[in-house]
Amino acid sequence: MKDILVTGCIVTYNNAHCVGECIESILKETKRDDFQLYVSDNCSQDQTVDMIKSRFPEVRVLKNSHNGGFGYGHNRMLKIIHSKYHLVINPDIIFEEDIIEKLVNYMEMHPEVGMITPKILNRDGTEQFLPKKDPSFRYVVMSKFKPFNHYRDEYTRKNEVFEKPTEIDSCTGCFFLIRTGLFKKLNGFDRHFFMYYEDADLSRRARKYQKLIFYPEGYVYHDWKRDNVRSLRGILIFLKSMIVYFKKWKWRF
């Protein structure tokens, strides 16, 4: 059997409305023949699984027995993959260049790097400024109030100009490449997070072993809506994950 250099996983839950475009863009722009894409479906109630199997037979689908959350879905890969690198991909990510090749080439030249994330763009081409530092009380709570909005800019390092790959504290969970060996060493995402903060937690644990890099020379599009935090259930999940994170890593201003 041919060795797979890169594997990728998309976790889905009722994402039939968007995941098809995501998969199509990945398969179209990814020219490597040593890449295998997986979908880990958290017991979707819509047509997600049937649609993927029908339209994309080359994609391997895992049907999970229940919706255990973002990290649970991605951790299903731990015993399956034997690649050198592994991609974590949101179902609303869109490729328009072979970003995988760029990220892999950088990691091949920099063995000290364990995780890497590129520039994340809105569909109109503007940049999404996502967290690059560890969460803190002022970044995730105070920044939501108007007098303290500037803390969000500090959290995302929005006002810095990144002209070359730069070391950061945290990689966004919507799209990153990690060395498969490191992902397995960390035992994947912490199961105590259903959704939110699991990427910050994984990043923090990964930094004990290798560097994390923001790569501004490549990009993906992210059709980001944050619908979950507009519902009471989403807000409660967010708050629970925040408490889990700060209990684990200690509260700090």
Side-chain angles (χ1 to χ4, degrees):
M1 181 178 178
K2 181 179 174 59
D3 290 337
I4 298 295
L5 180 66
V6 185
T7 48
C9 179
I10 304 169
V11 169
T12 55
Y13 178 70
N14 293 341
N15 292 123
H17 62 287
C18 66
V19 72
E21 184 180 14
C22 172
I23 294 172
E24 186 173 33
S25 74
I26 292 171
L27 298 180
K28 177 182 177 182
E29 297 300 328
T30 302
K31 308 304 181 185
R32 315 185 70 96
D33 61 358
D34 48 4
F35 170 71
Q36 177 63 56
L37 182 62
Y38 293 82
V39 169
S40 177
D41 185 78
N42 278 339
C43 202
S44 290
Q45 303 303 304
D46 64 1
Q47 299 302 310
T48 297
V49 170
D50 290 341
M51 181 275 291
I52 294 171
K53 287 184 174 181
S54 174
R55 287 182 58 188
F56 309 105
E58 62 269 65
V59 175
R60 299 181 185 175
V61 179
L62 304 177
K63 295 178 65 175
N64 302 325
S65 61
H66 67 286
N67 182 10
F70 178 87
Y72 162 82
H74 280 293
N75 286 353
R76 285 293 312 279
M77 305 304 300
L78 290 171
K79 294 181 179 179
I80 297 173
I81 55 175
H82 302 283
S83 53
K84 187 173 183 180
Y85 302 103
H86 182 65
L87 272 172
V88 169
I89 311 165
N90 264 24
D92 51 5
I93 289 291
I94 306 296
F95 281 38
E96 283 203 8
E97 61 171 9
D98 188 2
I99 186 62
I100 298 177
E101 184 170 5
K102 291 184 177 182
L103 298 181
V104 167
N105 288 345
Y106 185 86
M107 296 274 270
E108 289 281 277
M109 292 187 292
H110 297 85
E112 74 280 7
V113 175
M115 292 174 64
I116 187 169
T117 187
K119 191 178 291 186
I120 310 294
L121 303 180
N122 295 302
R123 295 296 288 263
D124 63 5
T126 57
E127 185 171 355
Q128 287 181 12
F129 295 100
L130 302 176
K132 296 180 180 67
K133 292 188 175 184
D134 291 328
S136 68
F137 182 78
R138 66 178 174 180
Y139 290 160
V140 301
V141 178
M142 292 181 65
S143 67
K144 299 186 184 304
F145 298 95
K146 194 169 184 179
F148 306 107
N149 290 160
H150 61 282
Y151 286 141
R152 174 71 186 182
D153 294 345
E154 187 178 320
Y155 188 26
T156 64
R157 299 175 66 174
K158 179 179 179 179
N159 297 321
E160 298 181 47
V161 177
F162 295 93
E163 296 181 342
K164 60 182 181 180
T166 303
E167 187 173 358
I168 56 176
D169 294 332
S170 187
C171 286
T172 174
C174 72
F175 186 85
F176 66 82
L177 183 72
I178 186 170
R179 294 184 188 274
T180 303
L182 177 60
F183 191 49
K184 291 187 176 189
K185 185 173 186 176
L186 298 172
N187 200 29
F189 291 101
D190 187 328
R191 63 182 178 83
H192 294 98
F193 297 92
F194 180 83
M195 186 166 57
Y196 306 118
Y197 292 95
E198 63 281 282
D199 50 355
D201 173 78
L202 182 75
S203 294
R204 199 157 181 167
R205 289 185 286 124
R207 287 203 322 262
K208 295 180 179 180
Y209 303 99
Q210 292 183 288
K211 294 180 179 181
L212 280 60
I213 292 292
F214 174 68
Y215 184 83
E217 298 167 12
Y219 64 90
V220 293
Y221 291 105
H222 183 205
D223 199 12
W224 195 31
K225 294 184 175 64
R226 291 189 72 89
D227 291 334
N228 286 319
V229 292
R230 292 177 183 152
S231 67
L232 177 60
R233 180 175 181 272
I235 292 170
L236 292 175
I237 292 172
F238 180 87
L239 291 174
K240 180 180 178 181
S241 292
M242 182 180 72
I243 292 169
V244 169
Y245 179 87
F246 284 123
K247 283 183 68 175
K248 180 175 182 177
W249 294 104
K250 309 303 180 186
W251 291 87
R252 65 185 184 90
F253 180 73

